[in-house]
Structures are given as C-alpha cells and as structure tokens.
Amino acid sequence: QVQLVESGGGLVQPGGSLRLSCAASGDAFRLFNMAWYRQAPGKQRELVASILWSGSTNYVDSVKGRFTISRDNAKKTVYLQMNNLKPEDTAVYYCNIIGTMAVSWGQGTQVTVSS
C-alpha cells in the first residue's frame, strides 16, 4: 500500500509563497499520475493541479500562472509551488494518485492565507 505524506503548509500573508511537498513510499512512484487537491471549509474537495508520469501538467483555472506542480522521481516526491497566494487559497491541501490507484486520504497540510 502506497503511503503519501503532505507537508509544507502554514500561515502566509496575501501575496506570499509556500511550497508543499508530498512524499510517497513504494517503488512505482515514477509511473503514477499525481495530483494536488484542496478542501476549504464547507466546500467539496477540488483538484488543483496534476502531473502525469510523463511530466505533463494541468491546473484548475483559479491557480493558473500562480501555482506550479513538479515531481522528483528519485526522491519520490511531488511539489506544489504556490506564489501570489490569495485568501481564497485557504484550505487543507492533499496529494493523491490519480485514478484507480488512489489511496486513502491522508491528513493533508493546512494552508492559511490571511493578513
């Protein structure tokens, strides 16, 4: 069973930056299509950014130009660089494998954007 551990969240002022990390266990990481999701209070979880095993990326419109997803297969880690953060980015951020290989949701990492 693959395990995923998110880290890197925190409190940041509007316009600030954070980099989230998602460390994975297992030997097949390089073959996984991965994504970052977020869930704000009272809202459904939404997919924020994805990166395929090939390196191809995709983003929800609200974060395009501000967030960058990347991966380091040697470190079995996916990153989410978040710049120009806005209060509406406040949420718990989770990572997971896309599709049928998805695992149980972890605890996520809290991102709070507030002055």
Side-chain angles (χ1 to χ4, degrees), residues 27-80:
D27 296 328
F29 174 80
R30 62 184 178 85
L31 300 177
F32 294 153
N33 297 324
M34 300 293 299
W36 281 98
Y37 302 78
R38 67 185 178 187
Q39 187 167 19
K43 295 187 177 181
Q44 290 188 333
R45 185 177 286 137
E46 66 169 342
L47 190 151
V48 174
S50 62
I51 184 165
L52 305 185
W53 65 269
S54 63
S56 178
T57 60
N58 200 15
Y59 302 89
V60 68
D61 285 347
S62 60
V63 308
K64 284 181 179 177
R66 300 188 298 121
F67 290 11
T68 302
I69 188 170
S70 61
R71 66 191 298 160
D72 184 332
N73 289 335
K75 294 183 178 180
K76 300 178 185 178
T77 301
V78 178
Y79 303 98
L80 186 67

Short mmCIF file of all heavy atoms in Angstrom, two decimals, residues 27-80:
data_model
loop_
_atom_site.label_atom_id
_atom_site.label_comp_id
_atom_site.label_asym_id
_atom_site.label_seq_id
_atom_site.Cartn_x
_atom_site.Cartn_y
_atom_site.Cartn_z
N ASP A 27 7.84 1.57 -4.81
CA ASP A 27 8.84 1.57 -5.87
C ASP A 27 8.31 2.04 -7.22
O ASP A 27 9.09 2.26 -8.14
CB ASP A 27 9.41 0.15 -6.04
CG ASP A 27 10.16 -0.30 -4.80
OD1 ASP A 27 10.76 0.57 -4.13
OD2 ASP A 27 10.14 -1.51 -4.49
N ALA A 28 6.98 2.21 -7.34
CA ALA A 28 6.40 2.51 -8.65
C ALA A 28 6.04 3.97 -8.81
O ALA A 28 5.31 4.32 -9.74
CB ALA A 28 5.16 1.65 -8.87
N PHE A 29 6.56 4.82 -7.94
CA PHE A 29 6.15 6.22 -7.93
C PHE A 29 6.28 6.86 -9.31
O PHE A 29 5.43 7.61 -9.73
CB PHE A 29 6.98 7.00 -6.91
CG PHE A 29 6.73 8.48 -6.94
CD1 PHE A 29 5.61 9.02 -6.33
CD2 PHE A 29 7.59 9.33 -7.60
CE1 PHE A 29 5.36 10.37 -6.37
CE2 PHE A 29 7.36 10.69 -7.65
CZ PHE A 29 6.24 11.21 -7.02
N ARG A 30 7.36 6.55 -10.01
CA ARG A 30 7.61 7.23 -11.28
C ARG A 30 6.52 6.94 -12.32
O ARG A 30 6.41 7.65 -13.32
CB ARG A 30 8.97 6.79 -11.84
CG ARG A 30 9.07 5.30 -12.13
CD ARG A 30 10.47 4.92 -12.60
NE ARG A 30 10.56 3.48 -12.83
CZ ARG A 30 10.21 2.90 -13.96
NH1 ARG A 30 9.76 3.63 -14.96
NH2 ARG A 30 10.34 1.59 -14.09
N LEU A 31 5.73 5.90 -12.06
CA LEU A 31 4.67 5.53 -13.01
C LEU A 31 3.32 6.13 -12.64
O LEU A 31 2.36 6.03 -13.40
CB LEU A 31 4.54 4.00 -13.06
CG LEU A 31 5.78 3.25 -13.50
CD1 LEU A 31 5.54 1.74 -13.45
CD2 LEU A 31 6.20 3.67 -14.91
N PHE A 32 3.26 6.77 -11.46
CA PHE A 32 1.98 7.30 -11.00
C PHE A 32 1.68 8.66 -11.61
O PHE A 32 2.57 9.50 -11.72
CB PHE A 32 1.98 7.44 -9.48
CG PHE A 32 2.06 6.16 -8.73
CD1 PHE A 32 2.62 6.12 -7.46
CD2 PHE A 32 1.57 4.97 -9.25
CE1 PHE A 32 2.70 4.95 -6.73
CE2 PHE A 32 1.65 3.78 -8.54
CZ PHE A 32 2.23 3.77 -7.29
N ASN A 33 0.43 8.86 -11.97
CA ASN A 33 -0.06 10.20 -12.25
C ASN A 33 -0.53 10.80 -10.93
O ASN A 33 -1.33 10.18 -10.23
CB ASN A 33 -1.22 10.15 -13.25
CG ASN A 33 -0.80 9.59 -14.58
OD1 ASN A 33 0.31 9.83 -15.05
ND2 ASN A 33 -1.69 8.84 -15.21
N MET A 34 -0.02 11.96 -10.58
CA MET A 34 -0.23 12.53 -9.26
C MET A 34 -0.99 13.84 -9.32
O MET A 34 -0.95 14.54 -10.35
CB MET A 34 1.11 12.78 -8.57
CG MET A 34 1.97 11.54 -8.37
SD MET A 34 1.25 10.37 -7.21
CE MET A 34 1.19 11.36 -5.71
N ALA A 35 -1.64 14.20 -8.24
CA ALA A 35 -2.38 15.46 -8.20
C ALA A 35 -2.38 16.04 -6.79
O ALA A 35 -2.25 15.31 -5.80
CB ALA A 35 -3.81 15.25 -8.67
N TRP A 36 -2.52 17.34 -6.75
CA TRP A 36 -2.79 18.06 -5.51
C TRP A 36 -4.27 18.46 -5.52
O TRP A 36 -4.78 18.92 -6.56
CB TRP A 36 -1.92 19.31 -5.40
CG TRP A 36 -0.52 19.03 -4.96
CD1 TRP A 36 0.59 18.90 -5.75
CD2 TRP A 36 -0.09 18.84 -3.62
NE1 TRP A 36 1.69 18.65 -4.98
CE2 TRP A 36 1.30 18.60 -3.66
CE3 TRP A 36 -0.72 18.87 -2.38
CZ2 TRP A 36 2.07 18.38 -2.50
CZ3 TRP A 36 0.04 18.64 -1.24
CH2 TRP A 36 1.41 18.41 -1.32
N TYR A 37 -4.89 18.28 -4.38
CA TYR A 37 -6.27 18.67 -4.18
C TYR A 37 -6.33 19.62 -3.00
O TYR A 37 -5.40 19.69 -2.19
CB TYR A 37 -7.13 17.44 -3.86
CG TYR A 37 -7.10 16.35 -4.90
CD1 TYR A 37 -6.03 15.46 -4.98
CD2 TYR A 37 -8.15 16.17 -5.79
CE1 TYR A 37 -5.99 14.45 -5.93
CE2 TYR A 37 -8.13 15.15 -6.74
CZ TYR A 37 -7.06 14.30 -6.80
OH TYR A 37 -7.03 13.29 -7.74
N ARG A 38 -7.46 20.31 -2.85
CA ARG A 38 -7.65 21.12 -1.66
C ARG A 38 -9.13 21.11 -1.27
O ARG A 38 -10.00 20.92 -2.11
CB ARG A 38 -7.18 22.55 -1.88
CG ARG A 38 -7.99 23.36 -2.88
CD ARG A 38 -7.33 24.72 -3.12
NE ARG A 38 -8.06 25.51 -4.11
CZ ARG A 38 -7.63 26.67 -4.59
NH1 ARG A 38 -6.46 27.17 -4.18
NH2 ARG A 38 -8.34 27.32 -5.48
N GLN A 39 -9.33 21.30 0.03
CA GLN A 39 -10.69 21.36 0.55
C GLN A 39 -10.79 22.52 1.53
O GLN A 39 -10.12 22.50 2.57
CB GLN A 39 -11.10 20.05 1.21
CG GLN A 39 -12.56 20.01 1.60
CD GLN A 39 -13.04 18.62 1.98
OE1 GLN A 39 -12.25 17.73 2.29
NE2 GLN A 39 -14.34 18.42 1.92
N ALA A 40 -11.59 23.49 1.16
CA ALA A 40 -11.83 24.64 2.03
C ALA A 40 -13.02 24.32 2.93
O ALA A 40 -13.86 23.48 2.60
CB ALA A 40 -12.11 25.88 1.19
N PRO A 41 -13.13 25.00 4.07
CA PRO A 41 -14.25 24.74 4.98
C PRO A 41 -15.59 24.90 4.28
O PRO A 41 -15.83 25.90 3.59
CB PRO A 41 -14.05 25.81 6.06
CG PRO A 41 -12.59 26.11 6.04
CD PRO A 41 -12.20 25.99 4.59
N GLY A 42 -16.44 23.89 4.44
CA GLY A 42 -17.76 23.95 3.86
C GLY A 42 -17.83 23.70 2.38
O GLY A 42 -18.91 23.82 1.77
N LYS A 43 -16.70 23.35 1.77
CA LYS A 43 -16.68 23.12 0.32
C LYS A 43 -16.20 21.71 0.01
O LYS A 43 -15.59 21.05 0.85
CB LYS A 43 -15.78 24.14 -0.37
CG LYS A 43 -16.29 25.57 -0.28
CD LYS A 43 -15.45 26.50 -1.12
CE LYS A 43 -16.00 27.93 -1.09
NZ LYS A 43 -15.19 28.85 -1.94
N GLN A 44 -16.51 21.28 -1.20
CA GLN A 44 -16.04 19.97 -1.64
C GLN A 44 -14.56 20.02 -2.00
O GLN A 44 -14.01 21.07 -2.35
CB GLN A 44 -16.85 19.51 -2.86
CG GLN A 44 -18.29 19.14 -2.54
CD GLN A 44 -19.00 18.50 -3.73
OE1 GLN A 44 -18.65 18.74 -4.88
NE2 GLN A 44 -19.97 17.65 -3.44
N ARG A 45 -13.92 18.89 -1.89
CA ARG A 45 -12.53 18.79 -2.30
C ARG A 45 -12.43 19.00 -3.81
O ARG A 45 -13.25 18.47 -4.56
CB ARG A 45 -11.98 17.42 -1.91
CG ARG A 45 -10.49 17.23 -2.17
CD ARG A 45 -10.06 15.86 -1.65
NE ARG A 45 -10.00 15.81 -0.20
CZ ARG A 45 -10.45 14.80 0.52
NH1 ARG A 45 -11.03 13.77 -0.06
NH2 ARG A 45 -10.32 14.83 1.83
N GLU A 46 -11.44 19.78 -4.24
CA GLU A 46 -11.28 20.02 -5.66
C GLU A 46 -9.83 19.73 -6.09
O GLU A 46 -8.89 19.88 -5.30
CB GLU A 46 -11.60 21.50 -6.02
CG GLU A 46 -10.65 22.52 -5.45
CD GLU A 46 -10.84 23.91 -6.03
OE1 GLU A 46 -11.46 24.07 -7.10
OE2 GLU A 46 -10.33 24.87 -5.40
N LEU A 47 -9.71 19.30 -7.33
CA LEU A 47 -8.39 19.05 -7.89
C LEU A 47 -7.79 20.39 -8.29
O LEU A 47 -8.41 21.17 -9.01
CB LEU A 47 -8.48 18.11 -9.10
CG LEU A 47 -7.18 17.57 -9.66
CD1 LEU A 47 -7.39 16.20 -10.30
CD2 LEU A 47 -6.55 18.51 -10.65
N VAL A 48 -6.58 20.64 -7.83
CA VAL A 48 -5.92 21.91 -8.07
C VAL A 48 -4.91 21.80 -9.22
O VAL A 48 -4.87 22.66 -10.10
CB VAL A 48 -5.20 22.39 -6.80
CG1 VAL A 48 -4.38 23.64 -7.07
CG2 VAL A 48 -6.20 22.63 -5.69
N ALA A 49 -4.10 20.76 -9.19
CA ALA A 49 -3.06 20.60 -10.19
C ALA A 49 -2.71 19.13 -10.32
O ALA A 49 -2.79 18.38 -9.35
CB ALA A 49 -1.81 21.39 -9.82
N SER A 50 -2.34 18.73 -11.53
CA SER A 50 -1.96 17.34 -11.77
C SER A 50 -0.68 17.28 -12.58
O SER A 50 -0.37 18.19 -13.35
CB SER A 50 -3.08 16.59 -12.48
OG SER A 50 -3.33 17.16 -13.75
N ILE A 51 0.03 16.17 -12.39
CA ILE A 51 1.24 15.92 -13.17
C ILE A 51 1.27 14.45 -13.52
O ILE A 51 1.19 13.59 -12.64
CB ILE A 51 2.51 16.38 -12.42
CG1 ILE A 51 3.74 16.20 -13.31
CG2 ILE A 51 2.67 15.67 -11.07
CD1 ILE A 51 4.97 16.95 -12.79
N LEU A 52 1.36 14.17 -14.79
CA LEU A 52 1.37 12.79 -15.25
C LEU A 52 2.76 12.19 -15.12
O LEU A 52 3.74 12.90 -14.90
CB LEU A 52 0.89 12.73 -16.70
CG LEU A 52 -0.47 13.35 -17.00
CD1 LEU A 52 -0.86 13.10 -18.45
CD2 LEU A 52 -1.53 12.83 -16.04
N TRP A 53 2.84 10.86 -15.32
CA TRP A 53 4.14 10.20 -15.23
C TRP A 53 5.10 10.77 -16.27
O TRP A 53 6.32 10.80 -16.07
CB TRP A 53 3.97 8.69 -15.43
CG TRP A 53 3.50 8.32 -16.81
CD1 TRP A 53 2.22 8.17 -17.21
CD2 TRP A 53 4.32 8.07 -17.95
NE1 TRP A 53 2.18 7.85 -18.55
CE2 TRP A 53 3.46 7.76 -19.02
CE3 TRP A 53 5.70 8.06 -18.17
CZ2 TRP A 53 3.93 7.46 -20.28
CZ3 TRP A 53 6.18 7.75 -19.43
CH2 TRP A 53 5.29 7.46 -20.47
N SER A 54 4.53 11.30 -17.37
CA SER A 54 5.35 11.87 -18.45
C SER A 54 5.87 13.26 -18.13
O SER A 54 6.73 13.79 -18.83
CB SER A 54 4.52 11.93 -19.73
OG SER A 54 3.41 12.80 -19.53
N GLY A 55 5.30 13.88 -17.10
CA GLY A 55 5.68 15.24 -16.75
C GLY A 55 4.67 16.29 -17.20
O GLY A 55 4.81 17.46 -16.85
N SER A 56 3.69 15.88 -17.96
CA SER A 56 2.66 16.81 -18.42
C SER A 56 1.85 17.31 -17.23
O SER A 56 1.51 16.54 -16.33
CB SER A 56 1.75 16.11 -19.42
OG SER A 56 0.71 16.96 -19.85
N THR A 57 1.54 18.60 -17.23
CA THR A 57 0.85 19.21 -16.09
C THR A 57 -0.46 19.86 -16.52
O THR A 57 -0.65 20.21 -17.69
CB THR A 57 1.74 20.26 -15.41
OG1 THR A 57 2.06 21.29 -16.37
CG2 THR A 57 3.01 19.65 -14.89
N ASN A 58 -1.33 20.03 -15.54
CA ASN A 58 -2.59 20.71 -15.78
C ASN A 58 -3.02 21.39 -14.48
O ASN A 58 -2.68 20.91 -13.39
CB ASN A 58 -3.67 19.72 -16.24
CG ASN A 58 -4.82 20.41 -16.94
OD1 ASN A 58 -4.71 21.56 -17.34
ND2 ASN A 58 -5.92 19.69 -17.09
N TYR A 59 -3.77 22.50 -14.62
CA TYR A 59 -4.16 23.29 -13.46
C TYR A 59 -5.61 23.73 -13.56
O TYR A 59 -6.13 23.97 -14.66
CB TYR A 59 -3.28 24.55 -13.36
CG TYR A 59 -1.81 24.28 -13.26
CD1 TYR A 59 -1.03 24.15 -14.40
CD2 TYR A 59 -1.19 24.13 -12.02
CE1 TYR A 59 0.33 23.88 -14.31
CE2 TYR A 59 0.16 23.86 -11.93
CZ TYR A 59 0.90 23.73 -13.08
OH TYR A 59 2.25 23.45 -12.98
N VAL A 60 -6.24 23.88 -12.41
CA VAL A 60 -7.55 24.50 -12.38
C VAL A 60 -7.35 25.99 -12.71
O VAL A 60 -6.30 26.58 -12.40
CB VAL A 60 -8.21 24.29 -11.00
CG1 VAL A 60 -7.50 25.07 -9.91
CG2 VAL A 60 -9.68 24.65 -11.06
N ASP A 61 -8.35 26.60 -13.35
CA ASP A 61 -8.19 27.97 -13.84
C ASP A 61 -7.79 28.95 -12.73
O ASP A 61 -7.02 29.88 -12.96
CB ASP A 61 -9.47 28.44 -14.51
CG ASP A 61 -9.67 27.82 -15.88
OD1 ASP A 61 -8.71 27.25 -16.42
OD2 ASP A 61 -10.79 27.93 -16.41
N SER A 62 -8.31 28.74 -11.53
CA SER A 62 -8.11 29.71 -10.46
C SER A 62 -6.65 29.80 -9.98
O SER A 62 -6.30 30.75 -9.29
CB SER A 62 -9.01 29.38 -9.28
OG SER A 62 -8.73 28.09 -8.78
N VAL A 63 -5.82 28.83 -10.34
CA VAL A 63 -4.42 28.86 -9.89
C VAL A 63 -3.43 28.97 -11.03
O VAL A 63 -2.21 29.06 -10.79
CB VAL A 63 -4.07 27.62 -9.02
CG1 VAL A 63 -5.08 27.46 -7.90
CG2 VAL A 63 -3.98 26.36 -9.86
N LYS A 64 -3.91 28.97 -12.25
CA LYS A 64 -3.00 29.07 -13.39
C LYS A 64 -2.18 30.35 -13.32
O LYS A 64 -2.69 31.42 -13.03
CB LYS A 64 -3.80 29.04 -14.70
CG LYS A 64 -4.30 27.66 -15.08
CD LYS A 64 -5.06 27.69 -16.41
CE LYS A 64 -5.54 26.30 -16.78
NZ LYS A 64 -6.35 26.32 -18.04
N GLY A 65 -0.88 30.19 -13.56
CA GLY A 65 0.02 31.33 -13.50
C GLY A 65 0.55 31.62 -12.11
O GLY A 65 1.46 32.44 -11.95
N ARG A 66 -0.02 30.98 -11.09
CA ARG A 66 0.41 31.21 -9.71
C ARG A 66 1.01 29.96 -9.08
O ARG A 66 1.94 30.05 -8.27
CB ARG A 66 -0.76 31.69 -8.85
CG ARG A 66 -1.39 32.98 -9.33
CD ARG A 66 -2.41 33.50 -8.32
NE ARG A 66 -3.53 32.59 -8.11
CZ ARG A 66 -3.85 32.07 -6.93
NH1 ARG A 66 -3.14 32.36 -5.85
NH2 ARG A 66 -4.90 31.27 -6.82
N PHE A 67 0.48 28.80 -9.41
CA PHE A 67 0.93 27.53 -8.83
C PHE A 67 1.71 26.73 -9.87
O PHE A 67 1.38 26.78 -11.06
CB PHE A 67 -0.26 26.69 -8.37
CG PHE A 67 -0.99 27.21 -7.16
CD1 PHE A 67 -0.76 28.48 -6.65
CD2 PHE A 67 -1.93 26.40 -6.53
CE1 PHE A 67 -1.44 28.95 -5.55
CE2 PHE A 67 -2.62 26.84 -5.42
CZ PHE A 67 -2.39 28.13 -4.94
N THR A 68 2.69 25.99 -9.40
CA THR A 68 3.46 25.10 -10.27
C THR A 68 3.62 23.75 -9.59
O THR A 68 4.13 23.67 -8.48
CB THR A 68 4.84 25.67 -10.59
OG1 THR A 68 4.71 26.96 -11.20
CG2 THR A 68 5.60 24.75 -11.53
N ILE A 69 3.18 22.70 -10.28
CA ILE A 69 3.36 21.34 -9.77
C ILE A 69 4.59 20.74 -10.44
O ILE A 69 4.84 20.96 -11.63
CB ILE A 69 2.10 20.48 -10.03
CG1 ILE A 69 2.20 19.13 -9.32
CG2 ILE A 69 1.83 20.30 -11.52
CD1 ILE A 69 0.90 18.32 -9.34
N SER A 70 5.35 19.98 -9.65
CA SER A 70 6.54 19.33 -10.19
C SER A 70 6.76 18.03 -9.43
O SER A 70 6.12 17.78 -8.41
CB SER A 70 7.77 20.23 -10.08
OG SER A 70 8.04 20.54 -8.73
N ARG A 71 7.66 17.22 -9.94
CA ARG A 71 7.94 15.95 -9.28
C ARG A 71 9.42 15.63 -9.37
O ARG A 71 10.09 16.03 -10.34
CB ARG A 71 7.10 14.83 -9.89
CG ARG A 71 7.43 14.49 -11.33
CD ARG A 71 6.38 13.56 -11.93
NE ARG A 71 6.32 12.29 -11.21
CZ ARG A 71 5.25 11.47 -11.26
NH1 ARG A 71 4.18 11.80 -11.99
NH2 ARG A 71 5.27 10.32 -10.60
N ASP A 72 9.89 14.91 -8.38
CA ASP A 72 11.26 14.41 -8.34
C ASP A 72 11.14 12.91 -8.12
O ASP A 72 10.93 12.46 -7.00
CB ASP A 72 12.06 15.08 -7.23
CG ASP A 72 13.51 14.67 -7.22
OD1 ASP A 72 13.84 13.54 -7.66
OD2 ASP A 72 14.34 15.47 -6.75
N ASN A 73 11.27 12.15 -9.18
CA ASN A 73 11.06 10.71 -9.07
C ASN A 73 12.12 10.04 -8.20
O ASN A 73 11.85 9.03 -7.54
CB ASN A 73 11.01 10.07 -10.45
CG ASN A 73 9.75 10.42 -11.22
OD1 ASN A 73 8.72 10.74 -10.62
ND2 ASN A 73 9.83 10.39 -12.54
N ALA A 74 13.32 10.57 -8.21
CA ALA A 74 14.38 9.99 -7.39
C ALA A 74 14.06 10.12 -5.89
O ALA A 74 14.39 9.25 -5.10
CB ALA A 74 15.71 10.66 -7.70
N LYS A 75 13.41 11.22 -5.55
CA LYS A 75 13.02 11.45 -4.16
C LYS A 75 11.60 10.99 -3.88
O LYS A 75 11.13 11.11 -2.75
CB LYS A 75 13.16 12.93 -3.81
CG LYS A 75 14.59 13.44 -3.85
CD LYS A 75 14.67 14.90 -3.44
CE LYS A 75 16.11 15.39 -3.42
NZ LYS A 75 16.22 16.81 -3.04
N LYS A 76 10.90 10.49 -4.88
CA LYS A 76 9.52 10.04 -4.74
C LYS A 76 8.66 11.15 -4.12
O LYS A 76 7.89 10.91 -3.17
CB LYS A 76 9.42 8.77 -3.90
CG LYS A 76 10.20 7.59 -4.48
CD LYS A 76 10.10 6.37 -3.57
CE LYS A 76 10.96 5.23 -4.06
NZ LYS A 76 10.91 4.06 -3.17
N THR A 77 8.80 12.32 -4.63
CA THR A 77 8.14 13.48 -4.06
C THR A 77 7.50 14.34 -5.15
O THR A 77 8.09 14.53 -6.22
CB THR A 77 9.13 14.33 -3.25
OG1 THR A 77 9.70 13.53 -2.21
CG2 THR A 77 8.44 15.53 -2.61
N VAL A 78 6.31 14.83 -4.84
CA VAL A 78 5.63 15.80 -5.69
C VAL A 78 5.57 17.12 -4.93
O VAL A 78 5.32 17.13 -3.72
CB VAL A 78 4.20 15.34 -6.04
CG1 VAL A 78 3.49 16.37 -6.89
CG2 VAL A 78 4.24 14.01 -6.77
N TYR A 79 5.77 18.20 -5.65
CA TYR A 79 5.78 19.52 -5.05
C TYR A 79 4.66 20.39 -5.62
O TYR A 79 4.23 20.19 -6.76
CB TYR A 79 7.12 20.22 -5.30
CG TYR A 79 8.32 19.46 -4.81
CD1 TYR A 79 9.07 18.67 -5.68
CD2 TYR A 79 8.69 19.50 -3.47
CE1 TYR A 79 10.18 17.97 -5.23
CE2 TYR A 79 9.80 18.80 -3.02
CZ TYR A 79 10.53 18.04 -3.90
OH TYR A 79 11.61 17.32 -3.44
N LEU A 80 4.24 21.36 -4.83
CA LEU A 80 3.33 22.38 -5.33
C LEU A 80 3.88 23.73 -4.87
O LEU A 80 3.81 24.05 -3.68
CB LEU A 80 1.91 22.18 -4.81
CG LEU A 80 0.88 23.13 -5.41
CD1 LEU A 80 0.69 22.85 -6.91
CD2 LEU A 80 -0.46 23.00 -4.69
#
